[in-house]
Amino acid sequence: TRTSRPQRLLQAVCINAVRGNPDSVIAAIDHFCQNQEWAMNVGDEKGAILDSVVMETSPSTVLELGTYCGYSAVRIMRLLPPATRFITLEMNPDYAAVARQVIQHAGLQDKVCLVEGKSADLIPKMADMFGIRTFDFVFFDHWKDCYLPDIRLLEDCGLLDQGSVVLADNVLCPGAPEYLDYVRSSLRFSSRFYRSHLEYTRVLDGLERSEYLGHRDAQRD
Ligand SMILES: O=C(CSCCNC(=O)c1cc(-c2ccc(F)cc2)cc(O)c1O)c1ccc(O)c(O)c1
Ligand SMILES: [Mg+2]
């Protein structure tokens, strides 16, 4: 049978990227998506914003929802020390299989814990499964209509601490309107929008950075 797009992306990484060099893996994927086939990686433009938010947060615990081919996992973990706890969830087993190989090609397999399953099922088990109390940084890049239920679930499970940062991809395209309304109206979050473009295109998109202010109640009316 024909190869899948993720498999063709992985092939481009194996051919064009230097083993153990995360920057060459990122460049190989961006080149593939710019010149061969579009794929839903956060990309180089939004990726640079992701890099800056990660560096200013310098988290010791990181959760990513939506691994896809591992592009953002490599982007994030190439910036952080080996002691960082990094957990990434992917519900699609075919994507997960490709992501494991991309992450391995980058030489980051010892720093990344990729878990297959649904975020709604796995988030409540984070503390028990991984001994993680709270996440300093969370990257949302999975199903867009799961952003709102999942940030509520993170709050309810006590997995966010004062100062925790949640960065959400695609808040304009494909869009996450209910999520934006929630984080922008909640007194428990301080949010700001980073204007950018849909990966490898000129379509408007952006990232929303929401900092958790602590366990308060009441909504801004
Ligand atoms: O793909 C999934 C769910 S996770 C991917 C979420 N990410 C996106 O959907 C996503 C989408 C776009 C985008 C796509 C088309 C456009 F025209 C414009 C934008 C861009 C992004 O940056 C994204 O992150 C999944 C598929 C099958 C399964 O069987 C399963 O189990 C899971
Ligand atoms: Mg995305």
Side-chain angles (χ1 to χ4, degrees):
T1 57
R2 260 175 58 77
T3 58
S4 69
R5 179 167 307 183
Q7 285 168 328
R8 294 192 293 274
L9 181 148
L10 171 60
Q11 198 172 39
V13 167
C14 294
I15 293 167
N16 303 316
V18 174
R19 260 195 186 284
N21 180 328
D23 287 305
S24 75
V25 167
I26 291 164
I29 293 172
D30 286 334
H31 186 271
F32 174 79
C33 293
Q34 202 68 57
N35 301 284
Q36 260 81 46
E37 300 181 61
W38 186 91
M40 60 182 168
N41 318 113
V42 72
D44 45 350
E45 188 181 313
K46 288 187 289 178
I49 299 166
L50 169 63
D51 289 355
S52 66
V53 176
V54 166
M55 286 187 285
E56 86 192 4
T57 311
S58 55
S60 48
T61 52
V62 180
L63 174 65
E64 172 182 67
L65 304 182
T67 318
Y68 188 44
C69 295
Y71 176 92
S72 47
V74 169
R75 274 207 90 104
I76 293 167
M77 284 319 283
R78 83 191 200 286
L79 301 172
L80 297 175
T84 308
R85 300 292 309 279
F86 179 83
I87 295 163
T88 181
L89 307 185
E90 177 51 58
M91 64 184 279
N92 182 313
D94 301 326
Y95 295 171
V98 165
R100 290 188 199 287
Q101 297 172 78
V102 167
I103 290 161
Q104 186 154 41
H105 198 92
L108 297 172
Q109 66 285 348
D110 298 339
K111 294 170 74 172
V112 171
C113 176
L114 196 166
V115 185
E116 292 180 41
K118 287 183 59 149
S119 51
D121 302 336
L122 291 167
I123 287 172
K125 298 174 185 163
M126 281 292 140
D128 301 336
M129 281 172 73
F130 302 102
I132 285 187
R133 231 173 23 78
T134 57
F135 287 105
D136 302 325
F137 183 80
V138 184
F139 183 51
F140 278 11
D141 196 18
H142 59 325
W143 285 122
K144 308 315 160 196
D145 51 16
C146 290
Y147 284 15
L148 179 52
D150 284 350
I151 196 165
R152 285 198 157 112
L153 189 55
L154 286 168
E155 283 187 78
D156 297 347
C157 297
L159 288 167
L160 298 178
D161 208 352
Q162 199 155 339
S164 291
V165 170
V166 181
L167 187 68
D169 188 26
N170 310 113
V171 294
L172 294 188
C173 177
E178 296 88 357
Y179 173 79
L180 281 184
D181 289 346
Y182 177 75
V183 289
R184 290 173 176 175
S185 67
S186 169
L187 290 177
R188 289 187 299 280
F189 289 98
S190 166
S191 279
R192 65 154 289 184
F193 176 66
Y194 294 84
R195 193 166 181 264
S196 185
H197 297 92
L198 177 68
E199 50 267 23
Y200 319 114
T201 77
R202 304 157 75 104
V203 173
L204 200 60
D205 189 19
L207 301 159
E208 186 83 0
R209 176 193 185 278
S210 304
E211 184 165 336
Y212 192 58
L213 302 174
H215 311 274
R216 299 176 175 191
D217 40 31
Q219 290 277 348
R220 183 174 299 146
D221 43 283

